[in-house]
C-alpha cells in the first residue's frame, strides 16, 4: 500500500469520554487497527528522531522519558535553587488546542523539515483523514501537536529571553524576576500563535511565586515542598471511600488507587496518605488483587498459544 501509494485511511470510530475531575467531555477518534494504527506507528519510527532533533529540552508532554515527573523535577529545581529568576510566574493555556491546529500550516512545517516526497505524501494522507485539526486518538497526533509549537518554544527562549520555561503540550509556565517582562511575553505569544490558528485562554495568570503555589502538572509547587492539586486529592479521596465500602476491592479500584499512590509518593503528601488512605484500604491487598489478575491473564494467554 505504501510503495504503490494506494493507502487510504479508514473512517474513525468516535466516542466521548469524561476526563479529569471536572469531567470535561472529549471526543476520541479511534483509527482502525489495520492498516491505520500500524502505519501510524511505522511512520513515527522514522519521524521521531527528526522531530526530536529540534525539540525544546523542557517540552515534556507525550514524549518518551519526558513525562510529568521529568517536568516536576526541573520545576522544583528552578524554584528552590534560582529564587531570583523565579520571582514571578506566568501560566498560559491554548484554547481547544487539538481541534484548532491548522492542517495547511502543519503541512508547511513538515515541508521545511522533510524533503522526501513519499514521506510527505503519507503525512498529508493522515492529516487530511480528519477535517479540522488533529484527532485525539491517533498515535501521530501527540507527536505532531508538540512539533506544531516547536517554533514557539524557540521564540520564547531565544527572542523573549525567558530563562525558565516549561511546556506540557499546550500548557505553559514561564518564570522571570520581572513582572512587566511576563506581561509583555504574554501579548507577544498571543500574536505569535495567531497565524497558527490558535488563541490563548482568557484564564492566564501572572503572580508572585512566594505568595501562592504554582499549580502545574497535577501538583502545587511551593518553594520548599510539592503537594497534590486539590482536585486530584479530592478524586483520590472519593475513589478510596468507594473502594472501602466494598467487601473486597475490585480490579479497577486496585489499579486506580495504586496508580494514585505514585502521585502521592512523588509529593509531600505523607499526612494525606495517613489520614485519607491508610485507614480505609490495605495497599498490600490491592497489590495482591492486581497480581492475581495478571497471573490469571498470563495463564489464559499460555492456554491460547
Amino acid at each position: 500500500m505504501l510503495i504503490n501509494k494506494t493507502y487510504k485511511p479508514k473512517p474513525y470510530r468516535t466516542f466521548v469520554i469524561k476526563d479529569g475531575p471536572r469531567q470535561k467531555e472529549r471526543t476520541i477518534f479511534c483509527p482502525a487497527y489495520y492498516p491505520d494504527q500500524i502505519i501510524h506507528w511505522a511512520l513515527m519510527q522514522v519521524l521521531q528522531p527528526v522531530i526530536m532533533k529540534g525539540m525544546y529540552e523542557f517540552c515534556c508532554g507525550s514524549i518518551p522519558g519526558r513525562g510529568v515527573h521529568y517536568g516536576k523535577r526541573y520545576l522544583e529545581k528552578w524554584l528552590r535553587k534560582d529564587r531570583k529568576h523565579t520571582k514571578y510566574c506566568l501560566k498560559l493555556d491554548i484554547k481547544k488546542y487539538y481541534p484548532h491546529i491548522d492542517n495547511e500550516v502543519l503541512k508547511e512545517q513538515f515541508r521545511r523539515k522533510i524533503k522526501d516526497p513519499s514521506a510527505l505524501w503519507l503525512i498529508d494522507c493522515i492529516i487530511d483523514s480528519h477535517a479540522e485539526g488533529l484527532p485525539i486518538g491517533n498515535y501521530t497526533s501527540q507527536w505532531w501537536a508538540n512539533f506544531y509549537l516547536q517554533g514557539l518554544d524557540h521564540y520564547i527562549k531565544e527572542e523573549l529571553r525567558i530563562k525558565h520555561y516549561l511546556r506540557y503540550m499546550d500548557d505553559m509556565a514561564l518564570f522571570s524576576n520581572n513582572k512587566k517582562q511576563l506581561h509583555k511575553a504574554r501579548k507577544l505569544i498571543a500574536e505569535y500563535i495567531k497565524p497558527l490558528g490558535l488563541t490563548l485562554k482568557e484564564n492566564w495568570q501572572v503572580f508572585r511565586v512566594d505568595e501562592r503555589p504554582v499549580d502545574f502538572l497535577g501538583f502545587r509547587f511551593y518553594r520548599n515542598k510539592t503537594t497534590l492539586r486539590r482536585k486530584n486529592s479530592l478524586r483520590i479521596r472519593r475513589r478510596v471511600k468507594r473502594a472501602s465500602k466494598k467487601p473486597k476491592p475490585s480490579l479497577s479500584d486496585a489499579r486506580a488507587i495504586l496508580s494514585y499512590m505514585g502521585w502521592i509518593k512523588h509529593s509531600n503528601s505523607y499526612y494525606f496518605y495517613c489520614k485519607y488512605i491508610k485507614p480505609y484500604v490495605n495497599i498490600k491487598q490491592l497489590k495482591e488483587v492486581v497480581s492475581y489478575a495478571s497471573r490469571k491473564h498470563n495463564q489464559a494467554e499460555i492456554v491460547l498459544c
Side-chain angles (χ1 to χ4, degrees), residues 47 147 251 261 264-265:
L47 284 190
F147 174 68
L251 179 60
M261 284 302 297
I264 292 164
K265 284 179 181 177

Side-chain angles (χ1 to χ4, degrees), residues 247-260:
K248 187 183 176 183
S250 65
L251 179 60
S252 62
D253 285 332
R255 283 174 172 166
I257 294 167
L258 290 174
S259 175
Y260 292 143

Side-chain angles (χ1 to χ4, degrees), residues 224-272:
N224 60 345
K225 64 179 180 179
T226 303
T227 61
L228 291 172
R229 180 180 277 175
R230 283 177 183 172
K231 287 164 191 169
N232 288 350
S233 61
L234 183 63
R235 182 165 49 171
I236 293 169
R237 285 167 62 184
R238 284 174 178 166
R239 189 66 185 246
V240 167
K241 277 197 173 180
R242 281 205 307 270
S244 67
K245 290 175 183 176
K246 297 176 183 177
K248 187 183 176 183
S250 65
L251 179 60
S252 62
D253 285 332
R255 283 174 172 166
I257 294 167
L258 290 174
S259 175
Y260 292 143
M261 284 302 297
W263 288 81
I264 292 164
K265 284 179 181 177
H266 283 87
S267 62
N268 303 103
S269 303
Y270 183 70
Y271 174 77
F272 176 84

Side-chain angles (χ1 to χ4, degrees), residues 156-172:
I156 290 170
K157 289 296 293 181
E158 295 159 21
E159 300 292 327
L160 303 184
R161 303 282 182 179
I162 300 295
K163 186 170 183 182
H164 297 306
Y165 158 61
L166 185 72
R167 177 166 70 83
Y168 190 87
M169 200 55 75
D170 62 315
D171 288 337
M172 293 168 268

Side-chain angles (χ1 to χ4, degrees), residues 53-72:
K53 202 171 278 185
M55 189 167 284
Y56 173 52
E57 183 184 2
F58 300 116
C59 166
C60 56
S62 301
I63 298 166
R66 291 201 209 170
V68 168
H69 297 301
Y70 172 87
K72 172 184 171 286

